[in-house]
Amino acid sequence: MGAAAVEVPGIVKLKCSVKKYDWGKVGKESGVARLYANNSGVETNDEEPYAEFWMGTHDSGPSYVVVSSGVESNLVNLKDWIEQNPSVLGDKVLRKWGSNLPFLFKVLSVAKALSMQAHPDKDLAVVLHKQQPLVYKDDNHKPEMALALTQFEALCGFVSLEELKNVVQNVPEIIEAVGTACADQVLHVGELDGEKKLKEVLKSLFTELMGVSNVVISELLAKLTSRLKLKREVRELTDKEELVLRLEKQYPGDVGAIAAFLFNYVKLNPGEALYLGANEPHAYLHGDCIECMAASDNVVRAGLTPKYRDVQTLCSMLTYKQGLPKILPGVPLNTYTVKYVPPFDEFEVDRCILPRETSTIFPAIPGPSIFLIMSGEGRIQMTSSEECVCEGDVLFTPANAEIGLETSSGLKLYRAGVNSRFLI
Protein backbone atom coordinates (compact mmCIF):
# COMPACT_ATOMS: atom_id res chain seq x y z
CA MET A 1 0.00 0.00 0.00
CA GLY A 2 1.20 3.57 -0.78
CA ALA A 3 1.57 6.24 1.88
CA ALA A 4 -1.63 7.93 2.94
CA ALA A 5 -2.19 11.37 1.43
CA VAL A 6 -1.48 14.23 3.78
CA GLU A 7 -4.67 16.11 4.60
CA VAL A 8 -4.16 19.82 3.92
CA PRO A 9 -6.08 22.19 6.22
CA GLY A 10 -8.70 24.43 4.67
CA ILE A 11 -9.14 28.20 5.02
CA VAL A 12 -8.25 29.49 8.50
CA LYS A 13 -8.97 32.86 10.08
CA LEU A 14 -6.14 34.84 11.65
CA LYS A 15 -5.99 37.25 14.60
CA CYS A 16 -3.28 39.78 13.83
CA SER A 17 -0.98 42.27 15.57
CA VAL A 18 -1.03 46.07 15.74
CA LYS A 19 1.83 48.55 16.21
CA LYS A 20 1.20 51.88 17.96
CA TYR A 21 4.20 53.85 16.70
CA ASP A 22 3.88 57.57 17.36
CA TRP A 23 3.80 58.46 13.64
CA GLY A 24 0.51 56.57 13.20
CA LYS A 25 -2.90 58.16 12.72
CA VAL A 26 -4.82 58.53 15.97
CA GLY A 27 -8.01 56.71 16.98
CA LYS A 28 -10.88 56.87 14.49
CA GLU A 29 -8.69 58.68 11.91
CA SER A 30 -6.67 55.47 11.53
CA GLY A 31 -7.67 52.79 9.03
CA VAL A 32 -5.35 50.46 10.93
CA ALA A 33 -7.33 51.04 14.14
CA ARG A 34 -10.57 50.12 12.39
CA LEU A 35 -9.11 46.94 10.86
CA TYR A 36 -7.55 45.89 14.16
CA ALA A 37 -10.78 46.49 16.12
CA ASN A 38 -12.77 44.40 13.64
CA ASN A 39 -10.11 41.69 13.46
CA SER A 40 -9.48 41.31 17.18
CA GLY A 41 -12.75 42.39 18.79
CA VAL A 42 -10.65 44.72 20.98
CA GLU A 43 -11.97 48.25 21.44
CA THR A 44 -9.47 50.87 20.27
CA ASN A 45 -8.50 54.04 22.14
CA ASP A 46 -9.42 57.36 20.49
CA GLU A 47 -6.30 58.97 21.98
CA GLU A 48 -3.73 56.43 20.76
CA PRO A 49 -1.91 56.16 17.42
CA TYR A 50 -2.48 53.01 15.38
CA ALA A 51 0.31 52.82 12.82
CA GLU A 52 0.71 49.29 11.43
CA PHE A 53 -1.42 46.14 11.15
CA TRP A 54 0.83 43.06 10.74
CA MET A 55 -0.15 39.78 9.07
CA GLY A 56 2.42 36.99 9.05
CA THR A 57 4.84 34.98 11.18
CA HIS A 58 7.49 37.55 12.16
CA ASP A 59 8.30 37.25 15.87
CA SER A 60 7.95 41.02 16.38
CA GLY A 61 4.24 40.89 15.50
CA PRO A 62 2.93 37.35 14.98
CA SER A 63 -0.50 36.33 13.74
CA TYR A 64 -2.56 33.59 15.38
CA VAL A 65 -4.75 30.89 13.82
CA VAL A 66 -8.26 30.65 15.26
CA VAL A 67 -8.63 26.92 15.94
CA SER A 68 -12.20 25.90 16.76
CA SER A 69 -12.97 22.78 18.80
CA GLY A 70 -16.65 22.45 19.57
CA VAL A 71 -17.95 25.67 21.11
CA GLU A 72 -14.47 26.90 22.13
CA SER A 73 -11.83 28.63 20.01
CA ASN A 74 -8.11 28.60 20.74
CA LEU A 75 -5.37 30.77 19.27
CA VAL A 76 -2.26 29.07 17.87
CA ASN A 77 0.79 31.02 16.70
CA LEU A 78 0.73 30.94 12.87
CA LYS A 79 4.44 30.05 12.75
CA ASP A 80 3.85 27.03 15.03
CA TRP A 81 0.74 26.04 13.07
CA ILE A 82 2.68 26.08 9.77
CA GLU A 83 5.42 23.94 11.34
CA GLN A 84 2.70 21.43 12.28
CA ASN A 85 1.14 21.67 8.77
CA PRO A 86 4.10 22.34 6.42
CA SER A 87 2.21 21.16 3.33
CA VAL A 88 0.22 24.43 3.41
CA LEU A 89 3.32 26.21 2.01
CA GLY A 90 3.78 23.96 -1.04
CA ASP A 91 6.95 22.06 -1.95
CA LYS A 92 8.82 24.88 -3.70
CA VAL A 93 8.32 27.37 -0.86
CA LEU A 94 9.29 24.75 1.73
CA ARG A 95 12.49 23.89 -0.13
CA LYS A 96 13.63 27.54 -0.33
CA TRP A 97 12.46 29.02 2.98
CA GLY A 98 11.69 26.04 5.22
CA SER A 99 8.56 26.34 7.35
CA ASN A 100 8.76 30.14 7.49
CA LEU A 101 6.28 32.33 5.65
CA PRO A 102 8.67 34.29 3.38
CA PHE A 103 6.59 37.50 3.31
CA LEU A 104 5.20 39.96 5.85
CA PHE A 105 1.94 41.73 4.94
CA LYS A 106 0.94 45.07 6.53
CA VAL A 107 -1.43 48.02 6.41
CA LEU A 108 0.03 51.44 7.37
CA SER A 109 -1.83 54.59 8.50
CA VAL A 110 0.75 57.40 8.41
CA ALA A 111 0.02 60.77 10.07
CA LYS A 112 3.59 62.10 10.14
CA ALA A 113 6.87 61.09 8.54
CA LEU A 114 8.53 57.79 9.31
CA SER A 115 12.29 57.75 9.76
CA MET A 116 14.71 58.38 6.89
CA GLN A 117 15.85 54.80 6.44
CA ALA A 118 17.06 51.93 4.31
CA HIS A 119 16.92 48.16 4.66
CA PRO A 120 20.08 46.05 4.45
CA ASP A 121 20.78 43.39 1.85
CA LYS A 122 21.05 39.77 3.01
CA ASP A 123 24.83 39.84 3.63
CA LEU A 124 24.73 43.08 5.63
CA ALA A 125 21.66 41.91 7.59
CA VAL A 126 23.60 38.86 8.80
CA VAL A 127 26.49 41.08 9.99
CA LEU A 128 24.25 43.70 11.67
CA HIS A 129 22.15 41.06 13.46
CA LYS A 130 25.29 39.41 14.81
CA GLN A 131 26.78 42.75 15.96
CA GLN A 132 23.62 44.37 17.40
CA PRO A 133 20.83 41.77 17.82
CA LEU A 134 18.73 44.10 20.00
CA VAL A 135 18.63 46.72 17.20
CA TYR A 136 18.67 44.45 14.12
CA LYS A 137 16.33 41.68 15.19
CA ASP A 138 16.77 39.17 12.37
CA ASP A 139 19.31 38.26 9.70
CA ASN A 140 17.08 38.70 6.65
CA HIS A 141 16.94 41.34 3.93
CA LYS A 142 13.81 43.46 3.55
CA PRO A 143 12.87 44.47 0.02
CA GLU A 144 9.38 45.97 0.14
CA MET A 145 6.47 47.37 -1.86
CA ALA A 146 3.95 50.06 -0.86
CA LEU A 147 0.54 50.10 -2.57
CA ALA A 148 -1.46 53.29 -2.00
CA LEU A 149 -4.92 53.08 -0.43
CA THR A 150 -5.24 56.89 -0.27
CA GLN A 151 -2.97 59.47 -1.83
CA PHE A 152 0.34 58.39 -0.36
CA GLU A 153 3.45 60.56 -0.03
CA ALA A 154 7.02 59.34 0.26
CA LEU A 155 10.64 60.36 -0.14
CA CYS A 156 12.29 57.71 -2.26
CA GLY A 157 15.80 57.53 -3.75
CA PHE A 158 18.15 60.39 -4.63
CA VAL A 159 17.19 63.13 -7.10
CA SER A 160 18.78 63.29 -10.56
CA LEU A 161 22.15 65.03 -11.06
CA GLU A 162 20.41 68.02 -12.67
CA GLU A 163 18.08 68.45 -9.67
CA LEU A 164 20.95 67.89 -7.23
CA LYS A 165 22.91 70.77 -8.83
CA ASN A 166 19.76 72.88 -8.57
CA VAL A 167 19.49 72.08 -4.84
CA VAL A 168 23.12 73.04 -4.18
CA GLN A 169 22.66 76.32 -6.07
CA ASN A 170 19.39 77.26 -4.37
CA VAL A 171 19.67 75.96 -0.79
CA PRO A 172 22.53 77.96 0.77
CA GLU A 173 22.06 76.18 4.10
CA ILE A 174 23.27 72.92 2.51
CA ILE A 175 26.48 74.61 1.29
CA GLU A 176 26.96 76.02 4.79
CA ALA A 177 26.52 72.52 6.23
CA VAL A 178 28.87 70.59 3.93
CA GLY A 179 31.35 73.30 2.93
CA THR A 180 32.08 74.95 -0.44
CA ALA A 181 34.61 72.30 -1.55
CA CYS A 182 32.03 69.50 -1.23
CA ALA A 183 29.32 71.62 -2.89
CA ASP A 184 31.68 72.56 -5.76
CA GLN A 185 32.28 68.87 -6.45
CA VAL A 186 28.55 68.51 -7.16
CA LEU A 187 28.44 71.61 -9.37
CA HIS A 188 31.43 70.51 -11.47
CA VAL A 189 30.69 66.80 -11.93
CA GLY A 190 28.91 65.67 -15.11
CA GLU A 191 27.38 62.57 -16.67
CA LEU A 192 30.56 62.12 -18.75
CA ASP A 193 32.55 61.57 -15.54
CA GLY A 194 30.90 58.15 -15.27
CA GLU A 195 28.55 56.47 -12.80
CA LYS A 196 31.26 55.63 -10.25
CA LYS A 197 32.38 59.26 -9.95
CA LEU A 198 28.78 60.52 -9.70
CA LYS A 199 28.10 58.10 -6.84
CA GLU A 200 31.30 59.14 -5.03
CA VAL A 201 30.32 62.82 -5.19
CA LEU A 202 26.76 62.14 -4.00
CA LYS A 203 27.99 59.87 -1.20
CA SER A 204 30.46 62.55 -0.09
CA LEU A 205 27.73 65.24 0.00
CA PHE A 206 25.20 63.06 1.85
CA THR A 207 27.74 61.72 4.35
CA GLU A 208 29.01 65.23 5.12
CA LEU A 209 25.47 66.51 5.65
CA MET A 210 24.38 63.62 7.87
CA GLY A 211 27.52 64.01 9.98
CA VAL A 212 27.01 67.69 10.86
CA SER A 213 26.52 68.30 14.59
CA ASN A 214 23.00 68.69 16.01
CA VAL A 215 23.81 72.23 17.18
CA VAL A 216 24.83 73.36 13.69
CA ILE A 217 21.87 71.62 12.05
CA SER A 218 19.46 73.33 14.46
CA GLU A 219 20.97 76.74 13.57
CA LEU A 220 20.81 76.01 9.84
CA LEU A 221 17.21 74.82 10.06
CA ALA A 222 16.26 78.01 11.91
CA LYS A 223 17.79 80.01 9.03
CA LEU A 224 16.16 77.80 6.41
CA THR A 225 12.65 77.94 7.89
CA SER A 226 12.91 81.70 8.38
CA ARG A 227 14.06 82.18 4.77
CA LEU A 228 11.29 79.95 3.37
CA LYS A 229 8.57 81.66 5.40
CA LEU A 230 9.72 85.08 4.12
CA LYS A 231 9.83 83.72 0.58
CA ARG A 232 6.28 82.36 0.99
CA GLU A 233 5.03 85.92 1.62
CA VAL A 234 6.29 86.96 -1.83
CA ARG A 235 5.71 83.87 -3.95
CA GLU A 236 4.43 80.31 -3.76
CA LEU A 237 6.89 77.76 -2.40
CA THR A 238 7.69 74.58 -4.29
CA ASP A 239 6.14 71.30 -3.06
CA LYS A 240 9.56 70.25 -1.75
CA GLU A 241 10.01 73.52 0.18
CA GLU A 242 6.56 73.16 1.76
CA LEU A 243 7.46 69.57 2.67
CA VAL A 244 10.72 70.65 4.33
CA LEU A 245 8.79 73.14 6.50
CA ARG A 246 6.34 70.40 7.45
CA LEU A 247 9.12 67.95 8.34
CA GLU A 248 10.95 70.54 10.45
CA LYS A 249 7.73 71.17 12.36
CA GLN A 250 7.25 67.43 12.96
CA TYR A 251 10.90 66.82 13.90
CA PRO A 252 12.43 70.16 15.07
CA GLY A 253 16.18 70.40 14.63
CA ASP A 254 16.38 67.09 12.72
CA VAL A 255 18.88 66.72 9.88
CA GLY A 256 16.29 64.68 7.97
CA ALA A 257 14.30 67.86 7.26
CA ILE A 258 17.16 69.47 5.31
CA ALA A 259 18.28 66.14 3.79
CA ALA A 260 14.81 65.84 2.21
CA PHE A 261 16.02 68.21 -0.53
CA LEU A 262 18.24 65.38 -1.82
CA PHE A 263 15.42 62.85 -2.29
CA ASN A 264 12.62 62.37 -4.80
CA TYR A 265 9.25 63.52 -3.42
CA VAL A 266 6.72 61.00 -4.71
CA LYS A 267 2.92 61.17 -4.52
CA LEU A 268 1.15 57.90 -5.29
CA ASN A 269 -2.52 57.85 -6.27
CA PRO A 270 -4.72 55.06 -4.86
CA GLY A 271 -3.94 51.85 -6.75
CA GLU A 272 -0.34 52.85 -7.60
CA ALA A 273 2.62 51.07 -6.01
CA LEU A 274 6.35 51.57 -5.65
CA TYR A 275 8.94 49.01 -4.66
CA LEU A 276 12.21 49.47 -2.79
CA GLY A 277 15.21 47.21 -3.07
CA ALA A 278 17.88 46.74 -0.42
CA ASN A 279 20.07 49.74 0.45
CA GLU A 280 17.71 52.32 -1.08
CA PRO A 281 16.90 55.39 1.09
CA HIS A 282 13.27 56.31 1.73
CA ALA A 283 10.82 57.81 4.19
CA TYR A 284 7.04 57.40 4.08
CA LEU A 285 5.40 60.75 4.81
CA HIS A 286 1.59 60.62 4.86
CA GLY A 287 -1.39 58.49 3.88
CA ASP A 288 -2.56 54.88 4.06
CA CYS A 289 -1.00 51.98 2.18
CA ILE A 290 -0.79 48.25 1.87
CA GLU A 291 2.80 47.15 2.41
CA CYS A 292 4.38 43.80 1.64
CA MET A 293 7.99 42.77 2.19
CA ALA A 294 10.35 39.91 2.85
CA ALA A 295 9.83 38.66 6.40
CA SER A 296 12.16 41.04 8.22
CA ASP A 297 12.01 44.00 10.58
CA ASN A 298 15.52 45.35 9.89
CA VAL A 299 15.67 49.14 9.58
CA VAL A 300 18.80 51.32 9.45
CA ARG A 301 17.75 54.87 10.45
CA ALA A 302 19.50 58.22 10.18
CA GLY A 303 16.90 61.00 10.38
CA LEU A 304 13.30 62.03 11.16
CA THR A 305 13.20 59.81 14.22
CA PRO A 306 13.67 59.79 18.00
CA LYS A 307 14.86 56.15 17.68
CA TYR A 308 18.43 54.84 17.45
CA ARG A 309 20.31 56.30 14.48
CA ASP A 310 23.07 54.39 12.72
CA VAL A 311 24.30 57.17 10.42
CA GLN A 312 27.64 55.55 9.59
CA THR A 313 26.03 52.27 8.50
CA LEU A 314 23.34 54.04 6.47
CA CYS A 315 25.79 56.29 4.62
CA SER A 316 28.10 53.38 3.80
CA MET A 317 25.39 50.91 2.68
CA LEU A 318 23.37 53.01 0.19
CA THR A 319 23.56 52.35 -3.56
CA TYR A 320 23.52 56.10 -4.40
CA LYS A 321 21.47 55.46 -7.52
CA GLN A 322 19.82 58.63 -8.82
CA GLY A 323 16.50 59.25 -10.54
CA LEU A 324 12.81 58.64 -9.97
CA PRO A 325 11.60 55.28 -8.64
CA LYS A 326 9.50 53.04 -10.88
CA ILE A 327 5.76 53.32 -10.19
CA LEU A 328 3.80 50.07 -10.68
CA PRO A 329 0.24 50.60 -11.97
CA GLY A 330 -0.55 46.87 -11.59
CA VAL A 331 -1.56 44.34 -14.24
CA PRO A 332 -5.29 43.50 -14.62
CA LEU A 333 -5.91 39.74 -14.28
CA ASN A 334 -9.66 40.02 -14.91
CA THR A 335 -12.51 42.51 -14.52
CA TYR A 336 -12.07 42.71 -10.75
CA THR A 337 -8.45 41.84 -9.90
CA VAL A 338 -5.14 43.68 -10.43
CA LYS A 339 -1.73 42.08 -9.69
CA TYR A 340 1.39 43.91 -8.48
CA VAL A 341 4.58 41.91 -9.08
CA PRO A 342 7.86 43.43 -7.79
CA PRO A 343 11.27 41.96 -8.79
CA PHE A 344 11.60 39.98 -5.52
CA ASP A 345 10.94 36.25 -5.00
CA GLU A 346 9.28 36.55 -1.60
CA PHE A 347 6.04 38.36 -2.42
CA GLU A 348 3.40 39.86 -4.70
CA VAL A 349 0.04 41.52 -3.99
CA ASP A 350 -3.38 41.33 -5.68
CA ARG A 351 -6.15 43.92 -5.26
CA CYS A 352 -9.69 42.65 -5.85
CA ILE A 353 -12.78 44.89 -5.90
CA LEU A 354 -16.04 42.96 -6.30
CA PRO A 355 -19.23 44.96 -6.96
CA ARG A 356 -22.63 43.81 -5.66
CA GLU A 357 -23.84 40.36 -6.74
CA THR A 358 -20.53 39.23 -8.26
CA SER A 359 -18.01 36.42 -7.78
CA THR A 360 -14.48 35.59 -8.87
CA ILE A 361 -11.92 32.80 -8.71
CA PHE A 362 -8.29 32.92 -7.58
CA PRO A 363 -6.74 29.95 -9.45
CA ALA A 364 -4.73 27.36 -7.51
CA ILE A 365 -1.07 28.34 -7.10
CA PRO A 366 1.80 26.31 -5.59
CA GLY A 367 2.24 28.71 -2.64
CA PRO A 368 0.25 30.05 0.34
CA SER A 369 -1.81 33.25 0.46
CA ILE A 370 -3.06 35.71 3.06
CA PHE A 371 -6.33 37.51 2.23
CA LEU A 372 -7.27 40.79 3.96
CA ILE A 373 -10.88 42.01 3.77
CA MET A 374 -10.72 45.82 3.62
CA SER A 375 -14.44 46.50 3.33
CA GLY A 376 -17.78 44.87 2.55
CA GLU A 377 -18.85 41.31 3.23
CA GLY A 378 -19.18 38.01 1.38
CA ARG A 379 -17.98 34.41 1.31
CA ILE A 380 -14.61 32.80 0.62
CA GLN A 381 -14.43 29.12 -0.22
CA MET A 382 -12.22 26.25 -1.33
CA THR A 383 -13.10 22.60 -1.88
CA SER A 384 -12.91 21.59 1.78
CA SER A 385 -14.05 24.73 3.59
CA GLU A 386 -15.74 28.11 3.40
CA GLU A 387 -16.02 31.18 5.61
CA CYS A 388 -18.27 34.23 5.81
CA VAL A 389 -16.06 37.33 5.74
CA CYS A 390 -16.35 41.03 6.51
CA GLU A 391 -14.12 44.08 7.09
CA GLY A 392 -11.03 43.26 9.16
CA ASP A 393 -11.08 39.52 8.53
CA VAL A 394 -7.71 37.99 7.63
CA LEU A 395 -7.54 34.50 6.16
CA PHE A 396 -4.70 32.10 5.42
CA THR A 397 -5.20 29.76 2.46
CA PRO A 398 -2.93 26.81 1.61
CA ALA A 399 -0.90 26.13 -1.52
CA ASN A 400 -2.57 24.40 -4.49
CA ALA A 401 -6.10 25.47 -3.54
CA GLU A 402 -8.52 27.24 -5.88
CA ILE A 403 -10.17 30.05 -3.93
CA GLY A 404 -13.65 31.32 -4.74
CA LEU A 405 -15.07 34.66 -3.58
CA GLU A 406 -18.64 35.93 -3.82
CA THR A 407 -20.58 38.89 -2.49
CA SER A 408 -24.11 40.24 -2.57
CA SER A 409 -23.27 43.68 -1.13
CA GLY A 410 -19.76 44.36 -2.48
CA LEU A 411 -16.29 43.36 -1.26
CA LYS A 412 -12.81 44.92 -1.39
CA LEU A 413 -9.82 42.78 -0.49
CA TYR A 414 -6.07 42.33 -0.91
CA ARG A 415 -4.11 39.10 -1.27
CA ALA A 416 -0.41 38.63 -0.47
CA GLY A 417 1.46 35.59 -1.69
CA VAL A 418 4.84 34.35 -2.88
CA ASN A 419 5.90 35.94 -6.19
CA SER A 420 4.27 33.99 -9.05
CA ARG A 421 7.47 34.30 -11.13
CA PHE A 422 9.25 32.26 -8.44
CA LEU A 423 6.43 29.70 -8.24
CA ILE A 424 6.28 29.01 -11.98
Side-chain angles (χ1 to χ4, degrees):
M1 287 176 65
V6 176
E7 185 179 341
V8 178
I11 299 164
V12 292
K13 281 192 172 181
L14 302 179
K15 297 292 183 188
C16 301
S17 297
V18 73
K19 298 292 184 182
K20 299 178 181 180
Y21 306 134
D22 63 1
W23 50 258
K25 292 184 180 178
V26 174
K28 290 184 171 63
E29 293 295 309
S30 172
V32 163
R34 191 171 62 251
L35 287 172
Y36 176 66
N38 287 332
N39 177 264
S40 65
V42 174
E43 193 173 335
T44 53
N45 185 329
D46 287 349
E47 307 299 318
E48 284 190 310
Y50 292 85
E52 295 188 354
F53 184 62
W54 285 32
M55 299 160 279
T57 56
H58 197 282
D59 291 338
S60 295
S63 297
Y64 294 86
V65 176
V66 181
V67 179
S68 298
S69 52
V71 292
E72 289 191 0
S73 292
N74 297 313
L75 297 180
V76 178
N77 187 299
L78 177 58
K79 191 174 187 178
D80 296 339
W81 184 84
I82 290 173
E83 284 177 359
Q84 293 159 16
N85 300 280
S87 60
V88 298
L89 296 181
D91 292 342
K92 199 164 186 181
V93 174
L94 261 175
R95 278 198 301 272
K96 175 145 187 179
W97 292 290
S99 57
N100 295 310
L101 197 64
F103 59 86
L104 177 58
F105 195 24
K106 298 182 183 180
V107 181
L108 274 60
S109 286
V110 181
K112 67 176 187 176
L114 282 68
S115 56
M116 196 164 277
Q117 61 184 253
H119 307 299
D121 59 29
K122 181 67 176 166
D123 291 342
L124 180 58
V126 170
V127 172
L128 293 175
H129 177 59
K130 191 172 182 180
Q131 289 174 345
Q132 299 185 77
L134 295 178
V135 177
Y136 303 108
K137 296 179 181 177
D138 58 72
D139 61 1
N140 201 12
H141 67 164
K142 192 189 174 189
E144 65 187 30
M145 178 171 68
L147 168 54
L149 295 169
T150 62
Q151 187 181 74
F152 192 75
E153 300 174 43
L155 292 172
C156 184
F158 289 102
V159 296
S160 66
L161 179 59
E162 182 184 0
E163 191 173 338
L164 185 65
K165 287 176 184 281
N166 190 44
V167 166
V168 171
Q169 287 167 333
N170 292 291
V171 186
E173 295 81 8
I174 286 184
I175 298 177
E176 207 173 326
V178 302
T180 52
C182 185
D184 284 346
Q185 274 193 312
V186 174
L187 295 176
H188 294 122
V189 76
E191 301 287 354
L192 294 177
D193 290 310
E195 187 180 2
K196 187 181 178 190
K197 179 65 175 175
L198 293 178
K199 287 185 177 183
E200 284 174 3
V201 169
L202 177 55
K203 182 177 182 179
S204 174
L205 175 74
F206 184 66
T207 305
E208 283 289 333
L209 178 61
M210 299 307 286
V212 175
S213 74
N214 291 341
V215 172
V216 173
I217 287 296
S218 291
E219 290 171 357
L220 292 175
L221 279 169
K223 282 186 189 178
L224 174 62
T225 53
S226 176
R227 179 173 65 81
L228 292 181
K229 286 172 181 175
L230 284 171
K231 182 180 173 184
R232 191 198 263 155
E233 291 174 10
V234 181
R235 70 170 78 108
E236 195 174 349
L237 297 181
T238 65
D239 281 358
K240 181 72 75 68
E241 288 170 334
E242 289 286 4
L243 172 64
V244 167
L245 287 176
R246 182 173 21 133
L247 294 177
E248 202 282 328
K249 194 172 181 181
Q250 291 175 359
Y251 297 95
D254 193 302
V255 67
I258 195 167
F261 280 114
L262 307 181
F263 297 104
N264 298 298
Y265 181 22
V266 178
K267 295 178 182 178
L268 296 179
N269 294 314
E272 292 181 330
L274 62 79
Y275 62 82
L276 299 154
N279 305 324
E280 295 294 347
H282 59 281
Y284 295 155
L285 302 173
H286 190 266
D288 287 21
C289 76
I290 292 284
E291 193 180 34
C292 202
M293 63 203 68
S296 171
D297 195 29
N298 281 326
V299 182
V300 183
R301 299 177 179 88
L304 304 179
T305 181
K307 295 181 181 178
Y308 172 73
R309 299 171 186 231
D310 195 344
V311 175
Q312 187 178 354
T313 298
L314 186 88
C315 291
S316 65
M317 71 190 267
L318 298 180
T319 64
Y320 292 99
K321 289 178 189 168
Q322 289 177 271
L324 288 166
K326 186 176 180 184
I327 306 298
L328 296 179
V331 178
L333 297 183
N334 54 45
T335 309
Y336 310 122
T337 307
V338 177
K339 183 178 287 294
Y340 300 83
V341 185
F344 315 119
D345 287 350
E346 287 89 347
F347 62 90
E348 65 181 21
V349 173
D350 294 338
R351 183 192 70 186
C352 179
I353 302 174
L354 288 177
R356 296 164 64 95
E357 305 293 348
T358 55
S359 62
T360 193
I361 297 286
F362 282 79
I365 53 173
S369 298
I370 290 180
F371 287 84
L372 164 66
I373 310 301
M374 286 296 291
S375 61
E377 51 189 45
R379 299 182 77 78
I380 183 169
Q381 60 229 350
M382 56 181 272
T383 309
S384 59
S385 65
E386 69 174 69
E387 294 277 355
C388 291
V389 293
C390 59
E391 181 181 350
D393 280 340
V394 180
L395 307 110
F396 180 95
T397 62
N400 306 306
E402 182 180 272
I403 304 298
L405 285 154
E406 61 182 47
T407 179
S408 55
S409 59
L411 194 61
K412 183 175 183 179
L413 61 99
Y414 290 83
R415 181 197 76 89
V418 177
N419 195 309
S420 49
R421 290 177 188 155
F422 169 78
L423 293 173
I424 291 168

